[in-house]
Amino acid sequence: MPTLTQDTQLGGQELKRIVFSEADIRARTRELGAQISDAYRASDRLLVLGLLKGSFLFMADLVRAIELPLHVDFMVASSYGANKVSSGDVRLLYDAGASLKDRAVLLVEDIIDSGNTLGRLIPRLEARGPASLEVCALLHKRLTILEPEARWVGFDAPNEFLVGYGLDCAEDFRHLPYIASL
Ligand code: IMP
Ligand code: MG
Protein backbone atom coordinates (compact mmCIF):
# COMPACT_ATOMS: atom_id res chain seq x y z
CA MET A 1 0.00 0.00 0.00
CA PRO A 2 1.40 3.45 -0.87
CA THR A 3 2.24 5.56 2.11
CA LEU A 4 0.40 8.68 3.08
CA THR A 5 2.93 11.26 2.05
CA GLN A 6 1.39 14.69 2.18
CA ASP A 7 -0.93 16.72 4.36
CA THR A 8 -2.06 13.79 6.45
CA GLN A 9 -3.36 16.12 9.13
CA LEU A 10 -5.52 19.12 8.31
CA GLY A 11 -8.17 20.93 10.31
CA GLY A 12 -7.81 18.48 13.17
CA GLN A 13 -8.62 15.52 10.87
CA GLU A 14 -6.12 12.76 10.24
CA LEU A 15 -5.99 10.39 7.29
CA LYS A 16 -6.36 6.76 8.30
CA ARG A 17 -5.49 4.70 5.22
CA ILE A 18 -5.40 4.87 1.46
CA VAL A 19 -8.54 3.24 0.08
CA PHE A 20 -7.88 3.80 -3.65
CA SER A 21 -4.35 4.61 -4.77
CA GLU A 22 -3.34 6.90 -7.60
CA ALA A 23 -2.55 3.82 -9.72
CA ASP A 24 -5.95 2.20 -8.91
CA ILE A 25 -7.73 5.37 -9.98
CA ARG A 26 -5.69 5.78 -13.14
CA ALA A 27 -6.30 2.20 -14.27
CA ARG A 28 -10.02 2.28 -13.53
CA THR A 29 -10.47 5.67 -15.22
CA ARG A 30 -8.90 4.27 -18.39
CA GLU A 31 -11.35 1.33 -18.32
CA LEU A 32 -14.30 3.66 -17.84
CA GLY A 33 -13.08 5.89 -20.65
CA ALA A 34 -12.89 2.92 -23.02
CA GLN A 35 -16.39 1.69 -22.06
CA ILE A 36 -17.87 5.17 -22.40
CA SER A 37 -16.15 5.64 -25.77
CA ASP A 38 -17.76 2.40 -27.00
CA ALA A 39 -21.18 3.35 -25.67
CA TYR A 40 -21.28 6.75 -27.37
CA ARG A 41 -19.51 5.87 -30.62
CA ALA A 42 -22.69 6.48 -32.65
CA SER A 43 -23.82 9.56 -30.72
CA ASP A 44 -23.44 13.09 -31.89
CA ARG A 45 -21.16 15.24 -29.69
CA LEU A 46 -21.39 13.86 -26.15
CA LEU A 47 -21.87 16.46 -23.40
CA VAL A 48 -19.93 15.53 -20.27
CA LEU A 49 -21.45 17.40 -17.35
CA GLY A 50 -19.42 17.50 -14.15
CA LEU A 51 -20.85 18.20 -10.72
CA LEU A 52 -18.51 20.55 -8.92
CA LYS A 53 -16.54 20.69 -6.90
CA GLY A 54 -16.03 17.05 -6.03
CA SER A 55 -15.72 15.74 -9.59
CA PHE A 56 -13.11 18.20 -10.87
CA LEU A 57 -10.12 15.85 -10.88
CA PHE A 58 -12.11 12.81 -12.02
CA MET A 59 -13.63 14.88 -14.85
CA ALA A 60 -10.21 16.03 -15.98
CA ASP A 61 -8.87 12.48 -16.12
CA LEU A 62 -12.06 10.86 -17.46
CA VAL A 63 -12.49 13.16 -20.46
CA ARG A 64 -8.87 12.49 -21.43
CA ALA A 65 -9.69 8.78 -21.41
CA ILE A 66 -12.71 9.19 -23.71
CA GLU A 67 -11.66 8.93 -27.33
CA LEU A 68 -14.59 10.77 -28.89
CA PRO A 69 -15.34 14.38 -29.76
CA LEU A 70 -17.12 15.82 -26.73
CA HIS A 71 -18.08 18.99 -24.94
CA VAL A 72 -17.50 19.71 -21.26
CA ASP A 73 -19.69 21.69 -18.88
CA PHE A 74 -20.21 21.94 -15.15
CA MET A 75 -22.90 22.44 -12.54
CA VAL A 76 -22.77 23.20 -8.86
CA ALA A 77 -25.54 21.59 -6.85
CA SER A 78 -26.08 21.78 -3.14
CA SER A 79 -28.25 19.16 -1.50
CA TYR A 80 -28.16 20.63 1.93
CA GLY A 81 -31.21 22.53 3.11
CA ALA A 82 -31.50 24.34 6.40
CA ASN A 83 -30.22 21.42 8.43
CA LYS A 84 -27.01 19.59 7.64
CA VAL A 85 -28.75 16.37 6.64
CA SER A 86 -28.61 15.51 2.94
CA SER A 87 -32.37 15.37 2.57
CA GLY A 88 -33.34 18.85 1.47
CA ASP A 89 -34.11 19.82 -2.08
CA VAL A 90 -31.21 20.20 -4.47
CA ARG A 91 -30.35 23.80 -5.13
CA LEU A 92 -28.49 24.69 -8.31
CA LEU A 93 -25.85 27.20 -7.28
CA TYR A 94 -24.43 27.26 -10.80
CA ASP A 95 -26.15 25.92 -13.90
CA ALA A 96 -24.49 24.62 -17.04
CA GLY A 97 -24.33 27.06 -19.92
CA ALA A 98 -24.90 24.28 -22.47
CA SER A 99 -28.41 23.28 -23.48
CA LEU A 100 -29.18 19.61 -22.78
CA LYS A 101 -31.97 19.44 -25.36
CA ASP A 102 -31.50 16.45 -27.71
CA ARG A 103 -27.95 15.86 -26.50
CA ALA A 104 -26.32 12.71 -25.21
CA VAL A 105 -25.48 13.81 -21.67
CA LEU A 106 -23.11 12.05 -19.28
CA LEU A 107 -23.39 13.36 -15.73
CA VAL A 108 -20.17 12.89 -13.75
CA GLU A 109 -20.35 12.70 -9.95
CA ASP A 110 -17.63 12.05 -7.39
CA ILE A 111 -19.53 9.84 -4.96
CA ILE A 112 -23.03 8.50 -4.44
CA ASP A 113 -23.79 8.37 -0.75
CA SER A 114 -27.47 8.76 0.20
CA GLY A 115 -28.32 9.25 -3.48
CA ASN A 116 -30.25 12.38 -2.59
CA THR A 117 -28.30 14.72 -4.86
CA LEU A 118 -28.64 12.64 -8.02
CA GLY A 119 -32.11 11.39 -7.09
CA ARG A 120 -33.36 14.95 -7.14
CA LEU A 121 -31.15 16.35 -9.87
CA ILE A 122 -31.76 13.69 -12.53
CA PRO A 123 -35.52 14.34 -12.94
CA ARG A 124 -34.79 18.05 -13.32
CA LEU A 125 -32.20 17.38 -16.01
CA GLU A 126 -34.48 14.84 -17.73
CA ALA A 127 -37.09 17.60 -17.95
CA ARG A 128 -34.74 19.52 -20.24
CA GLY A 129 -35.17 16.88 -22.94
CA PRO A 130 -31.73 15.32 -23.42
CA ALA A 131 -31.51 12.56 -26.05
CA SER A 132 -30.05 10.43 -23.24
CA LEU A 133 -28.88 10.99 -19.68
CA GLU A 134 -26.48 8.60 -17.97
CA VAL A 135 -24.40 8.84 -14.81
CA CYS A 136 -20.75 8.02 -14.29
CA ALA A 137 -19.81 8.11 -10.60
CA LEU A 138 -16.29 7.52 -9.42
CA LEU A 139 -17.51 6.01 -6.14
CA HIS A 140 -20.76 4.42 -4.95
CA LYS A 141 -21.32 3.51 -1.31
CA ARG A 142 -24.24 1.22 -2.33
CA LEU A 143 -26.33 2.53 0.55
CA THR A 144 -29.13 3.14 -1.91
CA ILE A 145 -30.27 2.04 -5.34
CA LEU A 146 -30.70 4.98 -7.66
CA GLU A 147 -33.62 4.91 -10.05
CA PRO A 148 -32.24 4.97 -12.71
CA GLU A 149 -28.97 3.50 -11.38
CA ALA A 150 -25.61 4.97 -12.40
CA ARG A 151 -24.53 3.24 -15.61
CA TRP A 152 -20.81 3.51 -14.82
CA VAL A 153 -19.24 3.31 -11.38
CA GLY A 154 -15.52 3.45 -10.72
CA PHE A 155 -15.45 1.65 -7.41
CA ASP A 156 -17.84 0.40 -4.75
CA ALA A 157 -16.78 2.38 -1.71
CA PRO A 158 -16.73 1.39 1.95
CA ASN A 159 -19.18 3.20 4.20
CA GLU A 160 -16.52 5.52 5.59
CA PHE A 161 -15.89 9.20 5.09
CA LEU A 162 -13.52 9.48 2.15
CA VAL A 163 -11.33 12.38 1.04
CA GLY A 164 -8.89 13.15 -1.73
CA TYR A 165 -9.01 13.16 -5.54
CA GLY A 166 -11.68 15.88 -5.40
CA LEU A 167 -13.47 14.76 -2.24
CA ASP A 168 -13.17 17.08 0.73
CA CYS A 169 -13.71 17.41 4.43
CA ALA A 170 -14.60 21.06 5.05
CA GLU A 171 -12.68 21.90 1.82
CA ASP A 172 -9.49 20.16 2.99
CA PHE A 173 -7.82 17.24 1.19
CA ARG A 174 -9.35 17.74 -2.29
CA HIS A 175 -5.96 17.93 -3.97
CA LEU A 176 -4.64 14.57 -2.80
CA PRO A 177 -3.90 12.27 -5.77
CA TYR A 178 -5.39 9.26 -3.92
CA ILE A 179 -8.56 8.55 -1.95
CA ALA A 180 -8.18 7.99 1.77
CA SER A 181 -10.46 7.48 4.74
CA LEU A 182 -10.52 9.83 7.71
P1 IMP B 1 -25.61 12.14 -1.58
O1 IMP B 1 -26.53 13.22 -2.03
O2 IMP B 1 -25.86 11.74 -0.15
O3 IMP B 1 -25.53 10.95 -2.50
O4 IMP B 1 -24.17 12.77 -1.47
C1 IMP B 1 -23.52 13.23 -2.55
C2 IMP B 1 -22.50 14.27 -2.17
O5 IMP B 1 -22.12 14.27 -0.78
C3 IMP B 1 -21.24 13.94 -2.92
O6 IMP B 1 -21.26 14.53 -4.19
C4 IMP B 1 -20.16 14.50 -2.03
O7 IMP B 1 -19.95 15.85 -2.33
C5 IMP B 1 -20.73 14.37 -0.64
N1 IMP B 1 -20.20 13.15 0.02
C6 IMP B 1 -20.87 12.01 0.29
N2 IMP B 1 -20.08 11.09 0.90
C7 IMP B 1 -18.85 11.67 0.99
C8 IMP B 1 -17.58 11.21 1.51
O8 IMP B 1 -17.39 10.08 1.99
N3 IMP B 1 -16.55 12.10 1.43
C9 IMP B 1 -16.69 13.35 0.89
N4 IMP B 1 -17.85 13.80 0.39
C10 IMP B 1 -18.93 12.98 0.45
MG1 MG C 1 -20.36 16.41 -4.70
Side-chain angles (χ1 to χ4, degrees), residues 45-64:
R45 213 62 96 246
L46 175 64
L47 175 64
V48 186
L49 195 51
L51 284 183
L52 293 174
K53 299 178 223 174
S55 74
F56 83 110
L57 290 178
F58 181 45
M59 270 290 277
D61 288 335
L62 185 67
V63 293
R64 283 180 285 184

Side-chain angles (χ1 to χ4, degrees), residues 51 54 79-80 86 109-118 141 144 160-163 167-169 174:
L51 284 183
S79 62
Y80 296 86
S86 179
E109 173 67 310
D110 53 356
I111 185 165
I112 299 168
D113 184 12
S114 70
N116 183 59
T117 305
L118 288 183
K141 288 190 182 171
T144 184
E160 296 173 69
F161 199 81
L162 302 175
V163 295
L167 294 136
D168 73 307
C169 177
R174 281 197 204 276

Side-chain angles (χ1 to χ4, degrees), residues 32-33 35 63 74 78 84 104 109 120 139 145 160 174:
L32 291 170
Q35 290 171 15
V63 293
F74 292 95
S78 164
K84 281 252 165 179
E109 173 67 310
R120 303 213 181 206
L139 303 166
I145 296 170
E160 296 173 69
R174 281 197 204 276

Side-chain angles (χ1 to χ4, degrees), residues 4-134:
L4 299 163
T5 48
Q6 40 175 303
D7 305 326
T8 59
Q9 268 186 301
L10 284 171
Q13 298 280 352
E14 193 171 355
L15 300 186
K16 236 172 25 202
R17 67 186 173 96
I18 293 181
V19 180
F20 301 107
S21 71
E22 205 176 344
D24 292 339
I25 296 167
R26 191 182 313 116
R28 186 67 184 126
T29 303
R30 288 221 182 100
E31 288 176 359
L32 291 170
Q35 290 171 15
I36 290 165
S37 302
D38 285 344
Y40 290 100
R41 198 77 64 190
S43 302
D44 190 31
R45 213 62 96 246
L46 175 64
L47 175 64
V48 186
L49 195 51
L51 284 183
L52 293 174
K53 299 178 223 174
S55 74
F56 83 110
L57 290 178
F58 181 45
M59 270 290 277
D61 288 335
L62 185 67
V63 293
R64 283 180 285 184
I66 300 175
E67 294 177 328
L68 293 175
L70 57 79
H71 291 178
V72 167
D73 213 329
F74 292 95
M75 292 182 132
V76 180
S78 164
S79 62
Y80 296 86
N83 47 17
K84 281 252 165 179
V85 191
S86 179
S87 58
D89 199 8
V90 169
R91 282 181 302 146
L92 277 186
L93 305 182
Y94 172 79
D95 201 351
S99 165
L100 275 55
K101 183 98 185 93
D102 299 328
R103 309 263 328 246
V105 179
L106 178 64
L107 192 58
V108 176
E109 173 67 310
D110 53 356
I111 185 165
I112 299 168
D113 184 12
S114 70
N116 183 59
T117 305
L118 288 183
R120 303 213 181 206
L121 191 58
I122 288 169
R124 288 175 59 175
L125 298 182
E126 288 282 12
R128 297 182 186 184
S132 65
L133 179 63
E134 301 283 359

